[in-house]
Amino acid sequence: MPKVTLDLPEEVFSALRRSPEEFVRELRLAAAIYWYQKSEISQEKAATIAGLNRRDFLMALSREQVDVFAVDFDDLQRELERG
Protein backbone atom coordinates (compact mmCIF):
# COMPACT_ATOMS: atom_id res chain seq x y z
CA MET A 1 0.00 0.00 0.00
CA PRO A 2 1.41 3.44 -0.89
CA LYS A 3 2.27 5.69 2.03
CA VAL A 4 1.96 9.48 2.13
CA THR A 5 4.06 11.53 4.52
CA LEU A 6 3.17 15.06 5.63
CA ASP A 7 5.52 17.31 7.53
CA LEU A 8 3.49 19.50 9.88
CA PRO A 9 4.61 21.77 12.69
CA GLU A 10 4.12 20.28 16.15
CA GLU A 11 1.91 23.28 17.04
CA VAL A 12 -0.79 21.99 14.67
CA PHE A 13 -1.51 19.07 16.96
CA SER A 14 -1.53 21.08 20.14
CA ALA A 15 -3.68 23.84 18.59
CA LEU A 16 -6.24 21.26 17.47
CA ARG A 17 -5.81 19.26 20.67
CA ARG A 18 -5.33 16.13 18.59
CA SER A 19 -2.67 13.47 18.59
CA PRO A 20 -1.00 12.83 15.23
CA GLU A 21 -3.02 9.61 14.97
CA GLU A 22 -6.32 11.43 15.57
CA PHE A 23 -5.29 14.10 13.07
CA VAL A 24 -4.62 11.48 10.39
CA ARG A 25 -8.00 9.79 11.01
CA GLU A 26 -9.81 13.13 10.73
CA LEU A 27 -7.82 14.12 7.65
CA ARG A 28 -8.67 10.86 5.87
CA LEU A 29 -12.34 11.26 6.73
CA ALA A 30 -12.38 14.91 5.63
CA ALA A 31 -10.79 14.03 2.29
CA ALA A 32 -13.20 11.14 1.75
CA ILE A 33 -16.22 13.33 2.52
CA TYR A 34 -14.93 16.13 0.28
CA TRP A 35 -14.40 13.85 -2.74
CA TYR A 36 -17.69 12.05 -2.09
CA GLN A 37 -19.61 15.35 -1.97
CA LYS A 38 -18.03 16.34 -5.29
CA SER A 39 -19.23 12.99 -6.76
CA GLU A 40 -15.65 12.07 -7.58
CA ILE A 41 -15.78 8.79 -5.66
CA SER A 42 -18.41 6.30 -4.54
CA GLN A 43 -19.52 5.73 -0.95
CA GLU A 44 -17.60 2.48 -0.92
CA LYS A 45 -14.37 4.11 -2.13
CA ALA A 46 -14.86 7.01 0.30
CA ALA A 47 -15.27 4.55 3.16
CA THR A 48 -12.03 2.84 2.15
CA ILE A 49 -10.16 6.16 2.02
CA ALA A 50 -11.56 7.07 5.45
CA GLY A 51 -10.47 3.70 6.83
CA LEU A 52 -14.07 2.77 7.67
CA ASN A 53 -16.61 0.23 6.56
CA ARG A 54 -19.51 1.62 4.54
CA ARG A 55 -21.94 1.64 7.47
CA ASP A 56 -19.54 3.63 9.65
CA PHE A 57 -18.85 6.02 6.77
CA LEU A 58 -22.60 6.62 6.41
CA MET A 59 -22.77 7.30 10.15
CA ALA A 60 -19.87 9.77 9.82
CA LEU A 61 -21.72 11.54 6.98
CA SER A 62 -24.75 11.81 9.24
CA ARG A 63 -22.68 13.22 12.11
CA GLU A 64 -21.18 15.80 9.74
CA GLN A 65 -24.66 16.61 8.37
CA VAL A 66 -23.70 15.62 4.83
CA ASP A 67 -26.39 14.32 2.49
CA VAL A 68 -25.98 10.58 2.20
CA PHE A 69 -27.64 10.35 -1.19
CA ALA A 70 -26.63 12.80 -3.87
CA VAL A 71 -29.24 13.29 -6.55
CA ASP A 72 -28.29 14.47 -10.03
CA PHE A 73 -31.48 16.20 -11.13
CA ASP A 74 -30.62 15.88 -14.85
CA ASP A 75 -30.25 12.11 -14.42
CA LEU A 76 -33.50 12.00 -12.45
CA GLN A 77 -35.33 13.93 -15.17
CA ARG A 78 -34.05 11.52 -17.86
CA GLU A 79 -35.21 8.56 -15.74
CA LEU A 80 -38.65 10.09 -15.34
CA GLU A 81 -38.92 10.76 -19.06
CA ARG A 82 -38.01 7.12 -19.86
CA GLY A 83 -40.53 5.76 -17.37
Side-chain angles (χ1 to χ4, degrees):
M1 178 182 310
K3 189 173 192 170
V4 176
T5 303
L6 295 173
D7 292 321
L8 298 168
E10 192 67 36
E11 307 86 63
V12 170
F13 306 111
S14 61
L16 293 172
R17 294 190 175 115
R18 307 276 191 288
S19 69
E21 294 78 19
E22 291 171 316
F23 181 83
V24 168
R25 277 194 303 274
E26 288 186 25
L27 186 62
R28 288 178 65 170
L29 179 59
I33 289 173
Y34 175 77
W35 291 322
Y36 173 70
Q37 283 183 304
K38 291 182 65 179
S39 301
E40 292 184 14
I41 57 175
S42 67
Q43 283 180 4
E44 186 174 345
K45 184 60 71 177
T48 300
I49 290 168
L52 303 171
N53 62 41
R54 193 166 176 204
R55 180 183 59 86
D56 289 341
F57 181 68
L58 291 173
M59 296 297 289
L61 289 176
S62 176
R63 280 192 308 274
E64 297 297 323
Q65 299 179 345
V66 173
D67 288 333
V68 174
F69 300 104
V71 175
D72 182 319
F73 289 104
D74 292 332
D75 286 344
L76 180 59
Q77 184 62 41
R78 284 191 291 277
E79 281 291 320
L80 292 172
E81 289 169 0
R82 279 193 290 216

